């Protein structure tokens, strides 16, 4: 079942579109918000421990999120209702000319479902 076609979401509210699609397919559920896995993990961690400052997700891919003061984020040009922001690293398929590709990296990439796409 194709609940939501993300290719047609430019300029639309994704949560609203997903709720309409769920209703159309008779699914008795309502989505209130979407968050990526690392952000969700950090939110869960901070729910139980206000001093949690980072989350790393290891699964089909990897990602990390961390808490930063809004003053320390030069790209943030808006007033913040809080003094902290959550930064999602979105580091999937990370490639750097400054880091070597190890034998382990090459072996893991070769055995993946997308050889040649995770490390280059």
């Amino acid at each position: 079942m194709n609940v939501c076609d993300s290719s047609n979401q430019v300029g639309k509210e994704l949560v609203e579109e997903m709720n309409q699609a769920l209703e159309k397919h008779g699914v008795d559920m309502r989505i209130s918000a979407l968050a990526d896995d690392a952000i969700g993990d950090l939110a869960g961690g901070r729910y139980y421990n206000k001093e949690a400052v980072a989350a790393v997700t290891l699964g089909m891919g990897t990602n990390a999120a961390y808490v930063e003061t809004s003053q320390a984020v030069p790209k943030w040009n808006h007033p913040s209702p809080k003094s902290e922001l959550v930064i999602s690293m979105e580091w999937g398929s990370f490639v750097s000319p400054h880091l070597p590709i190890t034998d382990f990296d090459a072996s893991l990439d070769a055995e993946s479902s997308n050889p040649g796409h995770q490390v280059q």
Side-chain angles (χ1 to χ4, degrees), residues 72-89:
V73 181
K75 291 184 177 183
W76 186 255
N77 298 322
H78 309 285
S80 178
K82 302 276 183 184
S83 61
E84 297 177 323
L85 298 172
V86 174
I87 307 295
S88 177
M89 296 300 294

Side-chain angles (χ1 to χ4, degrees), residues 90-101 109 116-120:
E90 295 300 335
W91 67 23
S93 298
F94 177 75
V95 178
S96 171
H98 306 291
L99 298 174
I101 296 175
D109 180 64
H117 289 91
Q118 298 302 312
V119 295
Q120 289 127 11

Side-chain angles (χ1 to χ4, degrees), residues 59-61 93 103-120:
M60 294 299 288
S93 298
D103 290 341
F104 177 76
D105 296 325
S107 175
L108 185 62
D109 180 64
E111 295 176 30
S112 77
S113 59
N114 294 311
H117 289 91
Q118 298 302 312
V119 295
Q120 289 127 11

Side-chain angles (χ1 to χ4, degrees), residues 26-37:
V27 178
D28 186 21
M29 179 172 66
R30 180 145 182 88
I31 298 170
S32 298
L34 295 176
D36 82 350
D37 49 0

